[in-house]
Amino acid sequence: MQNSDTESPKVTFFPPLHHQRRIWILDILRRERLVEVLDIGCGEGALLTTLCQPAPWLNPGRFQDTDNELSSLFSNVGLVDQDTPDLHPKRVVGLDISSSQLAIAAQQTSPSFVNPLYTRWEPLDVELWQGNVAAVNPAFVNVQCIVASELIEHLTDDVLVQVAPIVLGVYRPRMFLVTTPSYTFNQRWSAPGSTDPKGYPDPTSRTDRVFRHPDHKFEWTVDEFAQWCNSAAHQWGYAVEITTIGMAKEQDPWGREILGGATQVACFRRLDNRFSKPRRGNAQVVHNAITESHTLVAKYHHDAHPRAGHPSDLREIEQAIIAKFQDWRESVLGIQELWFAETLALLCGGSMDVMLDVAEQSTQLELQKVVGQPRANWKVQLIAQLTYHHPPSQDKFAETENAMCEDEETDYDGGENSFDSGVHMGTTYDGMRPENDGWTQGSGSDDWATNWNESWVNTTGQGW
């Protein structure tokens, strides 16, 4: 790698640039609620491994409107995972030409590799294929979303020319997400007028440019990337949004922030109209001209938990929730805190809607919805009276205990463990809260359970 004779400007990124690219991709997958993803040029399967981590609960039903409202507020990188809908993939597929990298991807996407702390509520199918992106695979036709992250700059001209016709013309995904380095940004790594800029010389010798990686066959300027994207979108019936991500942390001494971010990104969205449909037929010429086939090197099925979609009796769930208030001596608990408590998620069959409906319909609980917040941030209040039964000889001790009961907040929070998928798993609170010392719950009406059961059947078609 060549080095400049003068001191190079400092350029760093936070989060790291590869994380920002993944965040951009995951944010779109969440907002669009895409459940089928093909990663071409998947390498060691970093994105696929993330997608294999299960969501903390089943896909929401009647309470999902809040998540819809939230998702419309964000349109760029930097979202917090808890502020966007969870991912609920059903099928993830990877394609790469390297057998050694696919071997790593196969290990990391296998059912045995997934974090054992997770409970999987939804089944997932995984496929890994080896082959050239210029070859057509019938298994990829009509896949919901195709991702090409830091791929196209590694392709030779004869392969690159096939990408748009095959991906957009033959496979016809609903969305196509592309990331590639911005050559325009590369100026930031050298002082203006430098005769020996940092980088690797163009291996094709077509230009005097220096690139970020020795295997890059090209790196496009902002205008060059936009030209390629707009041409492909117009030819194959897609709309495309183009921008950059990855702004440097440091202020440029020469004021070159106008150069934009280090990574160019493009989101292609299929236009489902009378003009776009015939264009698949035009791509048939490409399909017939390619004879190379892909090889399936790994295929996995991740089973859902047997309790998924099979909640317990509603009254049993209500009493289990109330028991947590008793054990933890709290009058208000967060939905997420309750969900990750031992057994409650299993009792609800993996459906947070069940827990929310129980809390909403119970005469002993009150569901506190927070406008503009995801469901996991809502709270449940115990509205029936807590009493403490104590022996007559322990009046003073009982008064102390009753005083504790009146405190609004007692911090027994055990914290959360955060994982790469953006799913937050709570620790088992039962081992961190005080055990039941005789707190009991006043009785309430049981009519709500029957009424709620009937309403659930009417809205979902499912009985209990």
Side-chain angles (χ1 to χ4, degrees):
M1 185 172 183
Q2 298 179 1
N3 294 311
S4 175
D5 295 333
T6 61
E7 184 177 354
S8 300
K10 184 178 181 180
V11 178
T12 60
F13 306 93
F14 184 82
L17 196 53
H18 66 282
H19 285 175
Q20 294 193 41
R21 289 192 291 264
R22 191 183 306 172
I23 289 171
W24 177 78
I25 294 168
L26 294 175
D27 285 344
I28 294 176
L29 298 182
R30 289 187 179 102
R31 290 200 307 272
E32 299 293 332
R33 288 178 166 79
L34 298 167
V35 299
E36 193 179 27
V37 181
L38 164 62
D39 185 6
I40 57 175
C42 65
E44 297 179 354
L47 176 62
L48 301 179
T49 303
T50 299
L51 295 175
C52 283
Q53 304 306 315
W57 39 71
L58 289 169
N59 209 358
R62 57 176 291 226
F63 286 97
Q64 71 179 4
D65 289 343
T66 296
D67 287 340
N68 279 325
E69 292 172 4
L70 272 170
S71 64
S72 66
L73 299 177
F74 304 99
S75 60
N76 211 328
V77 69
L79 306 190
V80 179
D81 287 332
Q82 69 179 8
D83 290 334
T84 52
D86 290 296
L87 289 165
H88 297 270
K90 296 179 179 179
R91 179 188 178 213
V92 296
V93 185
L95 170 67
D96 204 274
I97 201 168
S98 169
S99 58
S100 60
Q101 291 193 324
L102 283 171
I104 298 174
Q107 178 185 11
Q108 295 183 342
T109 56
S110 68
S112 61
F113 188 84
V114 176
N115 194 315
L117 293 178
Y118 291 105
T119 299
R120 182 176 293 280
W121 300 111
E122 297 155 322
L124 174 70
D125 290 311
V126 180
E127 303 167 26
L128 295 176
W129 296 81
Q130 182 178 3
N132 196 309
V133 296
V136 172
N137 189 334
F140 299 165
V141 174
N142 293 327
V143 67
Q144 266 193 336
C145 179
I146 297 179
V147 176
S149 182
E150 306 303 284
L151 167 69
I152 60 174
E153 65 272 10
H154 293 273
L155 304 179
T156 55
D157 289 346
D158 59 325
V159 176
L160 177 65
V161 73
Q162 300 286 2
V163 170
I166 291 177
V167 172
L168 303 180
V170 178
Y171 299 153
R172 301 292 293 164
R174 172 181 156 192
M175 305 196 77
F176 179 38
L177 309 181
V178 182
T179 79
T180 192
S182 168
Y183 180 75
T184 302
F185 182 89
N186 287 1
Q187 301 176 46
R188 288 290 304 269
W189 276 290
S190 302
S194 173
T195 58
D196 189 17
K198 296 178 61 176
Y200 299 90
D202 181 350
T204 69
S205 300
R206 291 175 300 189
T207 70
D208 59 358
R209 297 178 179 180
V210 292
F211 300 150
R212 303 180 195 177
H213 190 279
D215 187 57
H216 286 184
K217 307 304 186 292
F218 62 86
E219 290 180 6
W220 280 332
T221 66
V222 168
D223 291 339
E224 290 167 343
F225 182 58
Q227 182 179 2
W228 182 81
C229 292
N230 289 325
S231 175
H234 175 74
Q235 182 175 2
W236 301 110
Y238 281 75
V240 62
E241 297 179 6
I242 309 167
T243 187
T244 63
I245 60 174
M247 300 298 292
K249 288 174 55 181
E250 298 79 11
Q251 184 176 357
D252 185 65
W254 297 276
R256 293 176 294 181
E257 283 78 13
I258 195 174
L259 299 176
T263 296
Q264 304 189 83
V265 295
C267 176
F268 291 79
R269 187 185 300 269
R270 189 181 64 218
L271 299 174
D272 292 320
N273 54 43
R274 63 187 179 90
F275 299 105
S276 61
K277 291 181 179 179
R279 303 187 187 189
R280 184 192 292 277
N282 295 338
Q284 192 65 39
V285 176
V286 178
H287 187 227
N288 293 336
I290 298 176
T291 58
E292 181 182 349
S293 61
H294 295 162
T295 302
L296 183 64
V297 297
K299 185 175 183 178
Y300 304 120
H301 179 75
H302 296 249
D303 290 316
H305 193 281
R307 289 293 302 271
H310 301 287
S312 298
D313 178 78
L314 305 181
R315 191 170 292 105
E316 181 182 356
I317 298 173
E318 178 199 32
Q319 293 305 313
I321 294 174
I322 292 172
K324 296 306 174 186
F325 286 92
Q326 296 171 353
D327 294 342
W328 300 342
R329 305 177 187 181
E330 297 281 5
S331 60
V332 178
L333 290 171
I335 287 293
Q336 186 167 238
E337 186 177 20
L338 285 166
W339 183 261
F340 291 118
E342 187 179 7
T343 73
L344 278 180
L346 290 176
L347 290 175
C348 294
S351 173
M352 183 175 282
D353 282 342
V354 172
M355 176 180 287
L356 295 173
D357 270 323
V358 168
E360 189 172 50
Q361 301 298 327
S362 172
T363 59
Q364 304 179 70
L365 302 169
E366 179 182 301
L367 179 62
Q368 299 178 345
K369 301 178 183 180
V370 183
V371 177
Q373 289 292 319
R375 304 174 310 153
N377 288 358
W378 295 355
K379 296 183 181 298
V380 176
Q381 181 176 3
L382 185 66
I383 58 178
Q385 182 180 1
L386 279 172
T387 58
Y388 183 77
H389 300 292
H390 55 88
S393 60
Q394 297 184 358
D395 289 345
K396 184 175 181 180
F397 177 75
E399 291 175 2
T400 302
E401 291 292 306
N402 287 333
M404 291 177 59
C405 178
E406 295 173 359
D407 290 343
E408 286 189 4
E409 298 291 340
T410 303
D411 185 13
Y412 296 105
D413 190 1
E416 296 174 348
N417 295 325
S418 179
F419 300 93
D420 185 54
S421 67
V423 177
H424 299 282
M425 296 294 293
T427 56
T428 301
Y429 291 101
D430 287 353
M432 310 183 74
R433 297 277 188 172
E435 296 298 326
N436 190 339
D437 271 336
W439 293 79
T440 58
Q441 178 63 41
S443 61
S445 170
D446 291 331
D447 294 340
W448 73 271
T450 301
N451 296 334
W452 182 86
N453 189 41
E454 294 175 355
S455 67
W456 181 262
V457 172
N458 292 335
T459 57
T460 67
Q462 301 178 21
W464 299 97

